[in-house]
Amino acid sequence: MERALQVFPKDTDVQLELGTAYSQKAQVWNIRGDLREAVERYRKAVALREAILEHNPSDVLIRRSLMITYGNLGGNLGSPFYPNLGDTAGAREYYGKALAIARDLAKADRNDQLAQYDLSNALLFRSSLDLPKEEWAESLANLQEADGILQKLVAADPRSMSKLRTLATVEEYEGKRLEGLGKSGEALVISRHSLAVSEQALARAPSELGMISQALASEESVAEILAHQGDQPGALEMSRKAIARAERVTTPESERDRVTRGVAGAYQSLATVEAAFERWTEARVAAQRAVDEWRLSMAAGTRFNDSAKMARAEALLKDCDAHLR
């Protein structure tokens, strides 16, 4: 395709095919764990598709294709949902570009369910990044907009696992933003609903690993909000439910890292809850287990950028030791 483009430099079909080839090669590099090579291929695909769009600005298929490539590039750069390079600024830039296209396409046809679903995902990806506090209110508004879209999509297609999972994830992050903005009561309500959506999906597909991971995240959020509210029994019960869920997951060896990371996160959440009630001995046990699991994941060559999570677990362990001296 590169040779063909040299011969036919203005041929749109050749440009489109080459952009697709670069994106597919990026996916291969992602599977192989080389994120920088993947990013380089996505950048090439972006450049081609941007050039095509300049000459075909109203072509919906080209615009959607560019939106998806922006999103893939943003994911590789700094999304918490994917293995990434820790470049939050880069992720913000490309997720912002994807969101702008998604808004335009959804506005053009409000009955286009695919366009509406694309918009809900674009809102989620942009708003789930590690943003400065002054942007939390805006990201909350975006998440609430996505929640409203997804409620309608799920009502129209209640058996869609992908829509249920996206709704649960949106509400998880909605809860985080509400809690961060001091709206603990609202945060608990939406976080419990996120967990209920996850459970609804798992009732139909109990071994679906993506949904299990989402249920764990929702349980951990509920536990930590309850701890902030001073509900020790409720917080501990929810933390222990998350640990039990994480530890009973069985998967093929190819998915073992995901399970290890799930166990690490569940114990880290329990450690946070125990520390909130100054139960330092119990908190230390849980924090040590979390650190051990994060280190196990790192040693196994995880593709995820979990260094910040492990650093928080290690800091919590040190804090426990300081209180126990």
Side-chain angles (χ1 to χ4, degrees):
M1 295 310 303
E2 288 173 336
R3 289 197 299 271
L5 189 62
Q6 291 173 358
V7 178
F8 306 104
K10 295 183 179 180
D11 189 303
T12 301
D13 289 335
V14 173
Q15 291 172 322
L16 285 170
E17 288 294 336
L18 181 55
T20 299
Y22 282 140
S23 290
Q24 290 173 338
K25 190 62 177 289
Q27 292 172 26
V28 174
W29 282 114
N30 271 325
I31 291 168
R32 295 180 65 174
D34 195 328
L35 303 184
R36 295 189 184 281
E37 289 285 354
V39 163
E40 182 61 25
R41 299 313 185 281
Y42 280 134
R43 288 191 189 280
K44 288 183 177 182
V46 161
L48 276 170
R49 287 170 176 165
E50 285 179 337
I52 297 167
L53 193 60
E54 284 184 13
H55 301 289
N56 303 272
S58 60
D59 191 306
V60 171
L61 293 178
I62 295 173
R63 295 182 75 197
R64 185 171 187 270
S65 177
L66 179 58
M67 175 195 71
I68 291 170
T69 312
Y70 280 150
N72 287 333
L73 179 53
N76 264 162
L77 288 171
S79 171
F81 302 128
Y82 306 107
N84 69 81
L85 296 174
D87 181 2
T88 302
R92 288 175 68 185
E93 176 186 356
Y94 286 102
Y95 275 148
K97 290 181 177 183
L99 178 56
I101 294 175
R103 280 199 183 283
D104 284 345
L105 295 179
K107 184 179 179 180
D109 185 355
R110 297 189 184 280
N111 294 318
D112 185 335
Q113 291 205 1
L114 178 59
Q116 295 297 319
Y117 186 54
D118 285 343
L119 176 56
S120 70
N121 275 287
L123 289 163
L124 168 61
F125 292 143
R126 177 63 178 78
S127 301
S128 60
L129 296 172
D130 185 12
L131 300 171
K133 190 168 184 177
E134 56 268 23
E135 294 185 32
W136 289 1
E138 178 187 358
S139 71
L140 173 60
N142 285 339
L143 290 163
Q144 289 172 331
E145 180 183 355
D147 194 343
I149 293 168
L150 286 160
Q151 294 281 1
K152 293 177 182 177
L153 293 176
V154 168
D157 186 13
R159 298 193 66 81
S160 170
M161 292 293 287
S162 60
K163 292 183 179 70
L164 286 170
R165 183 165 57 247
T166 305
L167 175 59
T169 307
V170 162
E171 291 186 337
E172 176 205 343
Y173 278 85
E174 206 176 328
K176 290 179 187 295
R177 291 294 184 237
L178 285 164
E179 178 72 4
L181 291 168
K183 300 179 180 181
S184 184
E186 294 176 55
L188 182 58
V189 170
I190 200 69
S191 297
R192 285 194 185 279
H193 192 263
S194 170
L195 178 56
V197 172
S198 301
E199 296 284 15
Q200 177 185 343
L202 286 171
R204 294 205 304 269
S207 61
E208 212 282 312
L209 194 54
M211 211 64 247
I212 292 171
S213 296
Q214 181 53 54
L216 284 170
S218 300
E219 284 172 332
E220 291 158 17
S221 291
V222 170
E224 291 175 28
I225 293 169
L226 288 171
H228 294 161
Q229 293 181 346
D231 183 353
Q232 181 176 331
L236 290 174
E237 179 186 9
M238 190 59 67
S239 290
R240 289 166 182 154
K241 281 183 178 179
I243 288 172
R245 186 190 300 274
E247 290 186 331
R248 67 173 174 260
V249 175
T250 57
T251 62
E253 189 58 34
S254 60
E255 294 285 359
R256 192 64 219 165
D257 176 58
R258 199 167 181 178
V259 175
T260 302
R261 295 173 64 253
V263 172
Y267 273 100
Q268 187 161 340
S269 179
L270 175 60
T272 301
V273 168
E274 296 281 21
F277 296 105
E278 299 184 354
R279 290 161 50 98
W280 299 111
T281 300
E282 295 84 352
R284 192 196 185 286
V285 172
Q288 182 65 67
R289 178 65 184 274
V291 168
D292 290 345
E293 295 293 334
W294 287 126
R295 288 175 178 169
L296 183 61
S297 177
M298 295 289 186
T302 182
R303 295 187 295 123
F304 281 80
N305 186 6
D306 288 324
S307 55
K309 293 178 182 178
M310 188 168 77
R312 287 195 293 271
E314 290 173 334
L316 183 54
L317 183 59
K318 289 181 180 177
D319 192 33
C320 292
D321 286 337
H323 280 89
L324 291 170
R325 287 194 185 102

XYZ file of all heavy atoms in Angstrom, residues 77-129:
409
model
N -1.969 6.298 24.570
C -1.174 7.335 25.216
C -1.435 7.404 26.718
O -0.491 7.534 27.500
C -1.458 8.692 24.571
C -0.898 8.877 23.164
C -1.419 10.175 22.542
C 0.632 8.880 23.176
N -2.724 7.313 27.159
C -2.916 7.526 28.594
C -4.242 7.122 29.187
O -4.606 7.610 30.263
N -4.998 6.222 28.536
C -6.292 5.831 29.106
C -6.119 4.843 30.250
O -5.335 3.900 30.152
C -7.170 5.182 28.031
O -8.327 4.618 28.617
N -6.903 5.011 31.341
C -6.829 4.026 32.441
C -7.413 2.671 32.064
O -7.215 1.696 32.788
C -7.661 4.682 33.548
C -8.608 5.581 32.836
C -7.852 6.094 31.634
N -8.111 2.593 30.925
C -8.759 1.347 30.535
C -7.861 0.421 29.721
O -8.223 -0.726 29.489
C -10.019 1.635 29.710
C -11.022 2.480 30.431
C -11.543 3.622 29.836
C -11.440 2.168 31.709
C -12.468 4.411 30.492
C -12.360 2.947 32.377
C -12.879 4.069 31.766
N -6.722 0.925 29.257
C -5.875 0.150 28.358
C -4.413 0.257 28.785
O -4.025 1.204 29.489
C -6.002 0.670 26.914
C -7.407 0.730 26.417
C -8.063 1.948 26.268
C -8.115 -0.428 26.099
C -9.374 2.016 25.817
C -9.421 -0.380 25.649
C -10.045 0.853 25.510
O -11.344 0.907 25.084
N -3.569 -0.687 28.329
C -2.122 -0.480 28.495
C -1.753 0.854 27.857
O -2.190 1.156 26.733
C -1.511 -1.660 27.722
C -2.574 -2.710 27.729
C -3.878 -1.969 27.657
N -0.992 1.682 28.560
C -0.736 3.026 28.041
C 0.637 3.529 28.445
O 1.302 2.954 29.304
C -1.829 3.985 28.520
C -1.766 4.249 30.006
O -0.981 5.057 30.491
N -2.587 3.515 30.779
N 1.046 4.629 27.831
C 2.373 5.198 28.053
C 2.401 6.241 29.168
O 3.431 6.853 29.418
C 2.887 5.830 26.754
C 3.123 4.856 25.597
C 3.491 5.625 24.330
C 4.217 3.853 25.950
N 1.279 6.469 29.827
C 1.244 7.437 30.923
C 1.220 8.883 30.458
O 1.487 9.800 31.244
N 0.881 9.118 29.195
C 0.851 10.470 28.636
C -0.583 11.002 28.700
O -1.320 10.976 27.717
C 1.368 10.430 27.186
C 1.389 11.806 26.523
O 1.034 12.805 27.190
O 1.752 11.875 25.325
N -0.969 11.513 29.865
C -2.331 11.998 30.041
C -2.618 13.195 29.142
O -3.717 13.318 28.583
C -2.586 12.373 31.508
O -2.356 11.227 32.334
C -4.016 12.842 31.721
N -1.640 14.073 28.977
C -1.843 15.255 28.137
C -2.130 14.840 26.691
O -3.021 15.390 26.036
C -0.623 16.162 28.198
N -1.376 13.871 26.201
C -1.610 13.383 24.847
C -2.967 12.726 24.715
O -3.677 12.916 23.717
N -3.351 11.945 25.722
C -4.661 11.296 25.703
C -5.773 12.341 25.699
O -6.771 12.205 24.975
C -4.803 10.368 26.909
N -5.619 13.400 26.482
C -6.624 14.462 26.515
C -6.784 15.096 25.142
O -7.898 15.374 24.687
C -6.222 15.543 27.528
C -6.351 15.143 28.976
C -5.813 16.213 29.884
N -6.643 17.414 29.849
C -6.324 18.543 30.486
N -5.208 18.625 31.171
N -7.128 19.570 30.422
N -5.657 15.339 24.472
C -5.702 15.972 23.154
C -6.501 15.129 22.161
O -7.415 15.632 21.486
C -4.287 16.182 22.626
C -4.248 16.752 21.219
C -2.847 16.821 20.634
O -1.869 16.487 21.354
O -2.726 17.204 19.441
N -6.164 13.852 22.067
C -6.797 13.023 21.037
C -8.196 12.575 21.428
O -9.076 12.459 20.566
C -5.891 11.851 20.679
C -4.730 12.325 19.859
C -3.468 12.511 20.424
C -4.900 12.651 18.514
C -2.410 12.992 19.673
C -3.853 13.131 17.756
C -2.607 13.304 18.336
O -1.575 13.794 17.591
N -8.440 12.364 22.722
C -9.812 12.080 23.137
C -10.697 13.310 22.915
O -11.886 13.192 22.597
C -9.854 11.655 24.601
C -9.583 10.179 24.828
C -8.953 9.742 25.993
C -9.974 9.221 23.898
C -8.711 8.390 26.212
C -9.736 7.881 24.111
C -9.100 7.465 25.269
O -8.877 6.125 25.477
N -10.124 14.493 23.088
C -10.879 15.715 22.817
C -11.265 15.828 21.352
O -12.393 16.215 21.010
N -10.344 15.468 20.465
C -10.643 15.491 19.034
C -11.698 14.451 18.678
O -12.597 14.720 17.865
C -9.362 15.232 18.237
C -8.352 16.373 18.298
C -7.120 16.049 17.464
C -6.145 17.216 17.470
N -4.966 16.949 16.605
N -11.601 13.279 19.276
C -12.607 12.237 19.029
C -13.979 12.694 19.509
O -14.998 12.476 18.831
C -12.194 10.944 19.729
N -14.020 13.338 20.666
C -15.289 13.799 21.225
C -15.939 14.858 20.331
O -17.160 14.861 20.141
C -15.078 14.347 22.634
C -16.306 14.925 23.345
C -17.434 13.904 23.405
C -15.932 15.395 24.755
N -15.118 15.745 19.765
C -15.669 16.785 18.895
C -16.368 16.167 17.685
O -17.471 16.590 17.301
C -14.549 17.726 18.440
N -15.751 15.163 17.070
C -16.376 14.492 15.925
C -17.622 13.742 16.376
O -18.672 13.782 15.720
C -15.384 13.527 15.256
C -14.216 14.303 14.633
C -16.094 12.701 14.177
C -13.131 13.420 14.046
N -17.524 13.028 17.496
C -18.666 12.252 17.993
C -19.873 13.149 18.246
O -21.017 12.767 17.932
C -18.280 11.515 19.270
N -19.649 14.330 18.809
C -20.753 15.258 19.056
C -21.417 15.672 17.744
O -22.649 15.718 17.638
C -20.252 16.502 19.790
C -20.076 16.317 21.286
C -20.028 17.651 21.989
N -19.799 17.527 23.408
C -20.730 17.159 24.293
N -21.956 16.889 23.875
N -20.441 17.076 25.573
N -20.605 15.994 16.751
C -21.159 16.420 15.464
C -21.984 15.309 14.817
O -23.081 15.550 14.301
C -20.028 16.839 14.520
C -19.471 18.210 14.864
O -20.123 18.942 15.630
O -18.386 18.554 14.352
N -21.456 14.088 14.834
C -22.158 12.978 14.199
C -23.456 12.643 14.938
O -24.473 12.319 14.316
C -21.254 11.749 14.135
C -20.005 11.887 13.245
C -19.176 10.599 13.286
C -20.384 12.221 11.811
N -23.423 12.703 16.265
C -24.632 12.418 17.043
C -25.679 13.509 16.864
O -26.884 13.228 16.815
C -24.275 12.263 18.518
N -25.229 14.742 16.744
C -26.152 15.860 16.556
C -26.835 15.792 15.194
O -27.999 16.181 15.045
C -25.388 17.178 16.701
C -26.259 18.419 16.623
C -25.405 19.666 16.810
C -26.271 20.936 16.715
N -25.437 22.160 16.896
N -26.103 15.270 14.193
C -26.646 15.211 12.830
C -27.852 14.281 12.728
O -28.746 14.490 11.906
C -25.561 14.768 11.853
N -27.882 13.233 13.565
C -28.999 12.283 13.539
C -29.189 11.709 14.938
O -28.527 10.753 15.324
C -28.735 11.162 12.522
C -29.927 10.224 12.379
O -30.915 10.394 13.130
O -29.864 9.315 11.529
N -30.101 12.305 15.667
C -30.311 11.899 17.064
C -30.961 10.519 17.179
O -31.021 9.951 18.266
C -31.141 12.943 17.800
C -30.440 14.308 17.872
C -31.149 15.275 18.770
N -30.525 16.589 18.746
C -29.432 16.929 19.423
N -28.845 16.026 20.183
N -28.934 18.149 19.347
N -31.450 9.974 16.068
C -32.026 8.630 16.076
C -31.022 7.552 15.681
O -31.367 6.365 15.680
C -33.227 8.575 15.125
C -34.374 9.449 15.605
O -34.691 9.468 16.796
N -34.987 10.181 14.686
N -29.803 7.959 15.360
C -28.747 7.013 14.979
C -28.144 6.438 16.268
O -27.352 7.098 16.940
C -27.685 7.723 14.148
C -26.613 6.770 13.625
O -26.401 5.704 14.247
O -25.962 7.100 12.613
N -28.524 5.216 16.606
C -28.081 4.636 17.877
C -26.578 4.409 17.915
O -25.959 4.527 18.981
C -28.824 3.324 18.141
C -30.295 3.533 18.432
C -30.900 2.407 19.268
O -30.232 1.457 19.653
N -32.177 2.536 19.582
N -25.971 4.079 16.782
C -24.522 3.902 16.763
C -23.822 5.223 17.066
O -22.867 5.261 17.851
C -24.075 3.356 15.412
C -22.552 3.172 15.244
C -22.005 2.216 16.302
C -22.221 2.681 13.841
N -24.304 6.304 16.466
C -23.700 7.614 16.722
C -23.869 8.015 18.182
O -22.957 8.597 18.796
C -24.319 8.668 15.802
N -25.033 7.700 18.757
C -25.263 8.017 20.168
C -24.340 7.189 21.067
O -23.800 7.691 22.063
C -26.727 7.768 20.523
C -27.712 8.683 19.805
C -27.523 10.149 20.150
O -27.293 10.509 21.308
N -27.612 11.006 19.144
N -24.165 5.925 20.708
C -23.266 5.067 21.497
C -21.827 5.545 21.377
O -21.081 5.568 22.373
C -23.398 3.617 21.034
C -22.629 2.617 21.869
C -22.800 2.556 23.242
C -21.725 1.741 21.282
C -22.098 1.644 24.023
C -21.020 0.817 22.052
C -21.219 0.774 23.414
O -20.511 -0.133 24.183
N -21.421 5.937 20.173
C -20.083 6.502 19.985
C -19.893 7.720 20.882
O -18.836 7.892 21.507
C -19.872 6.915 18.524
C -19.637 5.739 17.593
O -19.312 4.638 18.081
O -19.762 5.926 16.364
N -20.900 8.565 20.947
C -20.801 9.777 21.770
C -20.664 9.414 23.239
O -19.843 10.009 23.963
C -22.019 10.668 21.547
C -22.100 11.929 22.420
C -20.848 12.789 22.259
C -23.358 12.737 22.088
N -21.435 8.442 23.712
C -21.337 8.061 25.127
C -19.941 7.551 25.456
O -19.380 7.872 26.520
C -22.394 7.007 25.469
O -22.118 5.762 24.861
N -19.354 6.778 24.562
C -17.993 6.291 24.791
C -16.979 7.421 24.756
O -16.046 7.462 25.569
C -17.640 5.229 23.744
C -18.115 3.848 24.131
O -17.558 3.203 25.019
N -19.178 3.380 23.487
N -17.136 8.338 23.816
C -16.200 9.470 23.727
C -16.266 10.322 24.985
O -15.233 10.798 25.493
C -16.517 10.305 22.489
N -17.462 10.538 25.504
C -17.618 11.288 26.751
C -16.949 10.564 27.911
O -16.273 11.184 28.749
C -19.105 11.490 27.045
C -19.851 12.474 26.135
C -21.358 12.267 26.247
C -19.483 13.913 26.494
N -17.115 9.252 27.967
C -16.504 8.454 29.034
C -14.983 8.518 28.955
O -14.304 8.777 29.956
C -16.971 7.008 28.938
C -16.207 5.979 29.794
C -16.331 6.303 31.275
C -16.695 4.565 29.506
N -14.427 8.258 27.768
C -12.974 8.209 27.641
C -12.334 9.545 28.001
O -11.312 9.592 28.693
C -12.583 7.800 26.225
C -12.925 6.377 25.881
C -13.360 6.040 24.613
C -12.828 5.366 26.823
C -13.681 4.719 24.288
C -13.142 4.053 26.522
C -13.567 3.734 25.246
N -12.920 10.638 27.548
C -12.353 11.957 27.845
C -12.463 12.283 29.337
O -11.566 12.902 29.917
C -13.086 13.015 27.014
C -12.638 14.459 27.279
C -11.192 14.699 26.916
N -10.804 16.075 27.125
C -10.526 16.618 28.297
N -10.603 15.884 29.405
N -10.167 17.887 28.387
N -13.545 11.863 29.970
C -13.825 12.271 31.348
C -13.250 11.337 32.399
O -13.283 11.650 33.587
C -15.343 12.398 31.548
O -15.883 13.334 30.651
N -12.738 10.170 31.992
C -12.182 9.217 32.959
C -10.686 9.396 33.156
O -10.075 8.685 33.957
C -12.447 7.781 32.477
O -11.841 7.565 31.214
N -10.090 10.354 32.443
C -8.649 10.585 32.576
C -8.332 11.205 33.936
O -9.212 11.699 34.645
C -8.159 11.512 31.457
C -8.280 10.965 30.034
C -7.946 12.061 29.021
C -7.373 9.757 29.838
